[in-house]
Protein backbone atom coordinates (compact mmCIF):
# COMPACT_ATOMS: atom_id res chain seq x y z
CA UNK A 1 0.00 0.00 0.00
CA UNK A 2 2.70 2.52 1.01
CA UNK A 3 5.77 2.57 -1.22
CA UNK A 4 7.74 5.61 -0.05
CA UNK A 5 7.91 6.70 3.58
CA UNK A 6 9.28 10.05 4.73
CA UNK A 7 10.92 9.85 8.15
CA UNK A 8 11.92 13.16 9.75
CA UNK A 9 14.65 12.65 12.33
CA UNK A 10 16.40 14.90 14.82
CA UNK A 11 18.68 12.25 16.32
CA UNK A 12 16.80 12.13 19.63
CA UNK A 13 15.99 8.89 21.44
CA UNK A 14 12.40 9.37 20.33
CA UNK A 15 13.51 9.65 16.70
CA UNK A 16 15.58 6.49 17.10
CA UNK A 17 12.47 4.64 18.31
CA UNK A 18 10.51 6.04 15.36
CA UNK A 19 13.26 4.82 13.04
CA UNK A 20 12.91 1.26 14.33
CA UNK A 21 9.14 1.35 13.78
CA UNK A 22 9.50 2.95 10.34
CA UNK A 23 11.99 0.27 9.28
CA UNK A 24 9.60 -2.50 10.38
CA UNK A 25 6.72 -0.73 8.62
CA UNK A 26 8.75 -0.26 5.42
CA UNK A 27 9.81 -3.89 5.45
CA UNK A 28 6.20 -5.00 5.86
CA UNK A 29 5.06 -2.83 2.91
CA UNK A 30 8.22 -3.32 0.81
CA UNK A 31 8.66 0.44 0.81
CA UNK A 32 11.66 2.74 0.74
CA UNK A 33 12.53 5.23 3.45
CA UNK A 34 13.49 8.82 2.79
CA UNK A 35 14.94 10.29 5.98
CA UNK A 36 15.12 14.05 6.40
CA UNK A 37 16.79 16.10 9.07
CA UNK A 38 16.36 19.86 9.13
CA UNK A 39 19.07 22.17 10.36
CA UNK A 40 17.81 25.43 11.78
CA UNK A 41 20.12 28.34 11.01
CA UNK A 42 21.72 30.07 13.96
CA UNK A 43 19.94 33.29 14.80
CA UNK A 44 22.38 35.92 15.97
CA UNK A 45 20.83 38.24 18.54
CA UNK A 46 22.24 41.68 18.96
CA UNK A 47 24.53 41.43 21.99
CA UNK A 48 25.96 44.93 21.97
CA UNK A 49 29.59 45.76 22.64
CA UNK A 50 29.98 43.37 25.56
CA UNK A 51 28.50 40.31 23.82
CA UNK A 52 30.40 37.13 23.15
CA UNK A 53 31.32 36.34 19.58
CA UNK A 54 30.05 33.07 18.16
CA UNK A 55 31.98 31.35 15.40
CA UNK A 56 29.26 30.74 12.81
CA UNK A 57 31.61 28.64 10.68
CA UNK A 58 32.26 26.28 13.57
CA UNK A 59 28.52 26.13 14.32
CA UNK A 60 27.78 25.25 10.68
CA UNK A 61 30.39 22.48 10.68
CA UNK A 62 29.17 20.99 13.95
CA UNK A 63 25.50 21.10 13.00
CA UNK A 64 26.21 19.59 9.55
CA UNK A 65 28.19 16.78 11.21
CA UNK A 66 25.36 16.15 13.66
CA UNK A 67 22.80 16.11 10.83
CA UNK A 68 24.91 13.65 8.84
CA UNK A 69 25.15 11.44 11.95
CA UNK A 70 21.33 11.46 12.31
CA UNK A 71 20.90 10.43 8.68
CA UNK A 72 23.64 7.79 8.96
CA UNK A 73 21.82 6.13 11.89
CA UNK A 74 18.67 5.74 9.80
CA UNK A 75 20.73 4.57 6.80
CA UNK A 76 22.35 1.85 8.92
CA UNK A 77 18.98 0.62 10.21
CA UNK A 78 17.50 0.58 6.70
CA UNK A 79 20.56 -1.19 5.28
CA UNK A 80 20.45 -3.85 7.98
CA UNK A 81 16.83 -4.55 7.05
CA UNK A 82 17.49 -4.48 3.29
CA UNK A 83 15.29 -1.44 2.72
CA UNK A 84 15.97 1.13 -0.01
CA UNK A 85 17.04 4.39 1.58
CA UNK A 86 17.69 8.00 0.72
CA UNK A 87 18.89 10.68 3.13
CA UNK A 88 18.23 14.41 2.94
CA UNK A 89 19.69 17.28 4.95
CA UNK A 90 17.88 20.60 4.63
CA UNK A 91 18.27 24.00 6.26
CA UNK A 92 15.32 26.15 7.27
CA UNK A 93 14.08 28.18 10.24
CA UNK A 94 10.80 26.26 9.80
CA UNK A 95 11.45 22.51 9.78
CA UNK A 96 7.84 21.61 9.01
CA UNK A 97 8.09 23.39 5.64
CA UNK A 98 11.11 21.29 4.66
CA UNK A 99 9.41 18.10 5.84
CA UNK A 100 6.28 18.77 3.77
CA UNK A 101 8.37 19.83 0.76
CA UNK A 102 10.60 16.73 0.99
CA UNK A 103 7.52 14.49 1.02
CA UNK A 104 6.38 16.11 -2.23
CA UNK A 105 9.82 16.20 -3.86
CA UNK A 106 10.60 12.54 -3.17
CA UNK A 107 7.12 11.22 -3.99
CA UNK A 108 6.39 9.96 -0.50
CA UNK A 109 2.94 8.61 0.27
CA UNK A 110 3.28 8.48 4.07
CA UNK A 111 5.06 10.47 6.74
CA UNK A 112 6.08 8.69 9.94
CA UNK A 113 7.29 11.00 12.67
CA UNK A 114 7.82 11.10 16.39
CA UNK A 115 6.09 13.59 18.63
CA UNK A 116 7.33 14.73 21.99
CA UNK A 117 3.72 14.98 23.15
CA UNK A 118 3.97 18.45 24.63
CA UNK A 119 0.82 19.74 26.27
CA UNK A 120 -0.54 22.96 27.63
CA UNK A 121 1.73 25.99 27.71
CA UNK A 122 4.76 24.02 26.50
CA UNK A 123 2.89 23.18 23.30
CA UNK A 124 1.73 26.76 22.92
CA UNK A 125 5.16 28.34 23.43
CA UNK A 126 7.44 25.66 22.01
CA UNK A 127 5.13 24.77 19.18
CA UNK A 128 4.85 21.40 17.58
CA UNK A 129 6.53 20.56 14.30
CA UNK A 130 4.30 17.49 14.14
CA UNK A 131 1.18 19.63 14.46
CA UNK A 132 2.45 21.96 11.75
CA UNK A 133 3.19 19.05 9.42
CA UNK A 134 -0.29 17.66 10.05
CA UNK A 135 -1.89 20.97 9.13
CA UNK A 136 0.23 21.58 6.00
CA UNK A 137 0.18 18.21 4.23
CA UNK A 138 -2.51 16.15 2.58
CA UNK A 139 -0.55 12.93 3.09
CA UNK A 140 -1.32 10.47 5.84
CA UNK A 141 0.91 11.04 8.88
CA UNK A 142 1.63 8.30 11.39
CA UNK A 143 2.51 10.04 14.66
CA UNK A 144 4.49 8.05 17.22
CA UNK A 145 4.72 9.12 20.85
Amino acid sequence: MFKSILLPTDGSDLSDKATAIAVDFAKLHQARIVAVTVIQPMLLPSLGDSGAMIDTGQYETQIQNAARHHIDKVAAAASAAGIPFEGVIAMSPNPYEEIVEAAKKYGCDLIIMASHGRKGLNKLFLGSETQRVLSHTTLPVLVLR
Side-chain angles (χ1 to χ4, degrees):
M1 177 175 199
F2 298 109
K3 295 298 174 198
S4 185
I5 299 167
L6 184 76
L7 177 66
T9 182
D10 62 6
S12 66
D13 288 342
L14 201 53
S15 283
D16 290 347
K17 290 177 184 175
T19 296
I21 292 169
V23 165
D24 288 345
F25 195 86
K27 195 169 187 174
L28 178 69
H29 289 272
Q30 297 177 333
R32 74 177 180 140
I33 292 178
V34 177
V36 62
T37 190
V38 181
I39 298 169
Q40 291 181 285
M42 183 170 63
L43 301 175
L44 297 173
S46 176
L47 299 174
D49 291 338
S50 64
M53 293 300 294
I54 299 170
D55 182 351
T56 56
Q58 184 179 6
Y59 170 80
E60 292 276 331
T61 300
Q62 289 176 345
I63 202 74
Q64 282 284 346
N65 288 340
R68 174 58 39 211
H69 179 70
H70 302 335
I71 294 296
D72 288 347
K73 285 196 299 187
V74 180
S79 177
I83 295 168
F85 172 81
E86 191 163 349
V88 179
I89 298 174
M91 182 177 279
S92 174
N94 301 308
Y96 78 92
E97 291 175 347
E98 293 296 329
I99 293 166
V100 171
E101 190 56 38
K104 289 178 191 173
K105 182 177 179 180
Y106 293 93
C108 297
D109 48 16
L110 174 68
I111 300 172
I112 297 179
M113 62 189 304
S115 174
H116 293 280
R118 293 188 179 103
K119 296 181 180 172
L121 291 177
N122 278 341
K123 184 176 180 180
L124 180 65
F125 291 120
L126 297 175
S128 166
E129 292 306 318
T130 304
Q131 188 62 39
R132 289 180 185 116
V133 168
L134 284 166
S135 64
H136 287 88
T137 188
T138 57
L139 292 176
V141 180
L142 177 58
V143 179
L144 306 171
R145 288 194 179 215

